[in-house]
């Protein structure tokens, strides 16, 4: 449970997608095993509707007609629940996920009845049931201690927004923003600073969905209107004032810390950025800006997250100039290498940055290019190296095939038949 926009559904879906949803077992007469099912709680909070959605999802996955058999609204809740349990057993269901649990608040039932139904569902179906919902679902799962414990089991998790007052959560916030920051498509790369962390947090209060959307809107505005396309603290506040106006009352309630005020907004309303994007669409579509964005995007896509981390560490921890940090990091980074040690790269890049104190970076870069060119002109061959054989063959005007055959790399297939006979 937690506020809307924290990524509960998105992350849970990503985890579920790591598993095949249906497995066919040929050794067991082609039996279908359903690994997991995810459904949304009906908007009207109907418990019958919950069971009906399970029937429909199973039908969708394996082509059955259980909804037609058991989904009649004339059937009782207990009958439908028994059928869900039977199908879970028949198809070896591994886990049931019920999202949007806050919709049960709209059900015309007492809280105790709802909670008892959920507990009965756990007991009868006999498989793990994960329930996901926003803070509005609290009234259902709260009550006396015994029922609350049975309703949430031993796995109750509160996924709250990241809070600035908590040191660990503030580190998580900075870590998330760093990961998001690599998707920066402006012509000029803006380095993260403490002021930017603070501004983004102030305007979104640690809610992931809002900070992602704010980051997009800030870039649209910068690309469309700013001459240098640089992201600034003032620009972040201006865009937030324009683009987040729908959720401004909720955010002000959160900032105030006033519990009664916050209770008026049980959930953060979903925010669409389409209107804001359309506002700057004509400017974003101009040809020169298209080309600028294309080049910036190409440059950013080529930049590895590891390389970005090295650059940030040089700037933030070792106080290296931003441009010099980028040049030094790119010089020591090997894109084709599968595994990198970030600290080793930082050390190498920092040593290179110190060398620039005795001379310009351009001179160092020129020396490195000369060494690189010389290394390319003098390749290191191993003994009986195929590349050397081919190179020598080209000099003598002999085909690569004949040279490699002469050296014993290409075998005559007829020899196999002769040896067998």
């Amino acid at each position: 449970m937690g506020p809307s926009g924290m990524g509960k559904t998105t992350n849970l879906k990503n985890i579920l997608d790591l598993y095949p949803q249906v497995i066919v077992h040929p050794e067991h007469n082609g039996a279908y095993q359903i690994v997991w099912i995810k459904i949304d709680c009906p908007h009207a909070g109907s418990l019958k509707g919950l069971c009906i959605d399970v029937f429909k999802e199973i039908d969708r996955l394996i082509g059955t007609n259980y909804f037609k058999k058991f989904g009649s609204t004339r059937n009782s809740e207990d009958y439908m629940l028994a059928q869900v349990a039977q199908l879970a057993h028949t198809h070896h269901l591994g886990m049931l996920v019920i999202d949007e649990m806050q919709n049960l608040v709209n059900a015309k039932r007492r809280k105790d009845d709802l909670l008892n139904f959920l507990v009965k569902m756990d007991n009868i179906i006999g498989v793990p049931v994960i329930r996901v919902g926003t803070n509005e679902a609290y009234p259902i799962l709260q009550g006396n201690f015994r029922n609350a414990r049975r309703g949430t089991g031993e796995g109750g998790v509160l996924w709250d927004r990241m809070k600035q007052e908590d040191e660990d959560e503030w580190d998580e916030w900075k870590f998330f923003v760093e990961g998001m920051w690599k998707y920066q498509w402006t012509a000029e790369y803006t380095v993260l600073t403490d002021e930017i962390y603070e501004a983004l947090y102030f305007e979104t209060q640690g809610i992931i969905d809002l900070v992602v959307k704010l980051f997009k809107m800030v870039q649209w505005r910068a690309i469309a209107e700013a001459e240098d396309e640089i992201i600034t603290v003032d620009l972040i506040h201006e865009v937030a004032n324009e683009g987040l106006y729908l959720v401004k009352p909720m955010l002000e309630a959160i900032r105030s810390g006033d519990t009664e005020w916050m209770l008026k907004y049980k959930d953060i309303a979903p925010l669409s950025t389409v209107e804001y994007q359309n506002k700057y669409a004509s400017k974003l579509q101009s040809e020169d800006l298209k080309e600028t964005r294309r080049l910036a995007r190409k440059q950013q896509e080529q930049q590895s997250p590891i390389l970005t981390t090295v650059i940030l560490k040089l700037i933030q921890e070792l106080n290296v100039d931003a441009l010099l940090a980028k040049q030094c990091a790119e010089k020591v980074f090997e894109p084709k290498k599968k595994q990198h040690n970030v600290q080793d790269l930082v050390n190498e890049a920092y040593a290179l940055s110190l060398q620039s104190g005795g001379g310009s970076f351009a001179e160092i870069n020129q020396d490195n290019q000369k060494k690189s060119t010389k290394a390319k002109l003098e390749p290191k061959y191993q003994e009986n190296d195929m590349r050397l054989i081919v190179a020598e063959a080209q000099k003598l005007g002999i085909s690569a095939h004949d040279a490699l055959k002469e050296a014993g790399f290409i075998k005559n297939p007829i020899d196999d038949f002769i040896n067998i006979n």
Side-chain angles (χ1 to χ4, degrees):
M1 299 184 66
S4 178
M6 287 304 298
K8 301 182 297 298
T9 300
T10 301
N11 283 281
L12 185 57
K13 185 65 168 65
N14 288 339
I15 293 170
L16 292 174
D17 284 341
L18 296 174
Y19 300 89
Q21 193 166 5
V22 178
I23 300 174
V24 182
H25 293 276
E27 67 276 19
H28 297 292
N29 299 321
Y32 287 96
Q33 177 186 355
I34 301 177
V35 180
W36 57 269
I37 287 178
K38 178 182 176 300
I39 60 171
D40 289 345
C41 190
H43 289 287
S46 165
L47 298 178
K48 283 187 179 182
L50 199 64
C51 295
I52 288 172
D53 286 345
V54 174
F55 300 145
K56 288 181 177 179
E57 182 64 10
I58 295 176
D59 290 346
R60 185 187 69 83
L61 289 173
I62 59 177
T64 50
N65 61 345
Y66 294 130
F67 168 65
K68 188 176 181 180
K69 283 184 178 179
F70 311 123
S72 173
T73 54
R74 294 187 300 244
N75 295 329
S76 66
E77 288 177 1
D78 289 340
Y79 173 82
M80 287 189 178
L81 192 56
Q83 298 306 321
V84 169
Q86 180 59 46
L87 295 179
H89 176 73
T90 301
H91 297 294
H92 317 285
L93 180 63
M95 180 169 64
L96 173 63
V97 180
I98 306 175
D99 201 354
E100 308 294 348
M101 283 290 295
Q102 67 275 7
N103 290 338
L104 287 178
V105 174
N106 300 321
K108 298 176 181 179
R109 302 280 290 273
R110 293 188 308 144
K111 286 191 299 184
D112 289 345
D113 291 341
L114 296 173
L115 190 58
N116 288 335
F117 179 86
L118 296 175
V119 172
K120 187 188 295 184
M121 175 177 276
D122 281 354
N123 295 337
I124 293 178
I125 295 178
V127 299
V129 179
I130 296 182
R131 293 183 285 273
V132 184
T134 65
N135 297 338
E136 284 186 285
Y138 273 131
I140 301 169
L141 298 180
Q142 285 179 332
N144 64 59
F145 176 77
R146 176 173 170 273
N147 281 344
R149 181 186 62 79
R150 294 183 70 197
T152 58
E154 296 179 357
V157 175
L158 177 62
W159 193 341
D160 204 353
R161 62 189 180 88
M162 290 176 272
K163 297 179 180 177
Q164 192 172 13
E165 309 83 50
D166 188 300
E167 186 176 343
D168 291 336
E169 291 186 10
W170 183 246
D171 288 340
E172 289 179 8
W173 168 256
K174 295 176 75 172
F175 181 74
F176 176 81
V177 174
E178 284 177 14
M180 177 187 72
W181 208 249
K182 67 181 180 181
Y183 300 102
Q184 186 181 153
W185 309 124
T186 50
E188 293 293 328
Y189 182 80
T190 303
V191 178
L192 269 172
T193 61
D194 288 339
E195 290 76 14
I196 290 178
Y197 285 122
E198 294 275 354
L200 289 172
Y201 186 85
F202 177 81
E203 297 296 353
T204 63
Q205 291 299 297
I207 297 173
I208 291 174
D209 180 61
L210 293 184
V211 72
V212 170
K213 289 175 178 176
L214 178 59
F215 184 46
K216 290 196 294 184
M217 290 190 289
V218 166
Q219 292 193 78
W220 291 334
R221 172 82 173 269
I223 293 170
E225 292 190 343
E227 292 182 3
D228 49 10
E229 294 192 22
I230 294 177
I231 298 174
T232 65
V233 171
D234 289 340
L235 183 62
I236 291 172
H237 289 307
E238 286 177 22
V239 172
N241 193 47
E242 287 181 359
L244 301 183
Y245 64 92
L246 287 176
V247 293
K248 207 173 184 64
M250 297 83 158
L251 293 172
E252 288 177 355
I254 294 173
R255 290 189 200 107
S256 71
D258 187 332
T259 306
E260 292 186 5
W261 191 5
M262 291 170 67
L263 284 175
K264 295 180 181 178
Y265 305 105
K266 297 178 181 178
D267 195 11
I268 295 291
L271 180 71
S272 172
T273 58
V274 175
E275 181 182 348
Y276 195 89
Q277 184 182 16
N278 291 338
K279 181 178 179 180
Y280 296 98
S282 58
K283 296 179 181 179
L284 292 169
Q285 295 306 316
S286 62
E287 290 302 320
D288 55 334
L289 287 174
K290 273 186 180 180
E291 181 64 14
T292 301
R293 291 203 315 278
R294 187 188 68 80
L295 293 173
R297 186 178 294 111
K298 183 178 180 182
Q299 181 182 3
Q300 291 293 334
E301 286 173 348
Q302 291 174 345
Q303 182 163 303
S304 162
I306 295 174
L307 177 58
T308 303
T309 303
V310 173
I311 295 171
L312 289 172
K313 283 182 174 291
L314 289 170
I315 297 169
Q316 296 175 355
E317 298 178 9
L318 299 172
N319 297 319
V320 179
D321 177 76
L323 179 59
L324 183 60
K326 185 174 184 295
Q327 292 173 327
C328 292
E330 289 175 346
K331 191 55 59 180
V332 302
F333 182 74
E334 300 177 32
K336 294 183 179 179
K337 190 174 179 181
K338 291 184 178 179
Q339 292 185 341
H340 297 86
N341 185 300
V342 173
Q343 193 55 52
D344 288 345
L345 291 173
V346 171
N347 294 340
E348 292 177 32
Y350 185 58
L352 189 58
S353 71
L354 293 176
Q355 292 179 33
S356 66
S360 68
F361 188 85
E363 292 173 352
I364 297 172
N365 192 38
Q366 191 174 9
D367 291 340
N368 289 335
Q369 285 181 345
K370 288 179 180 177
K371 292 176 183 177
S372 176
T373 304
K374 186 177 179 182
K376 289 179 181 177
L377 293 174
E378 299 176 0
K380 295 180 180 180
Y381 291 116
Q382 299 177 0
E383 186 179 354
N384 204 24
D385 196 305
M386 293 175 66
R387 295 170 296 174
L388 182 59
I389 294 171
V390 172
E392 291 294 332
Q394 288 176 344
K395 291 178 183 179
L396 299 173
I398 303 172
S399 70
H401 178 274
D402 291 341
L404 291 171
K405 185 175 181 181
E406 181 68 24
F409 283 100
I410 296 178
K411 187 176 181 181
N412 189 345
I414 298 176
D415 291 344
D416 286 338
F417 294 101
I418 294 174
N419 291 335
I420 291 170
N421 293 335

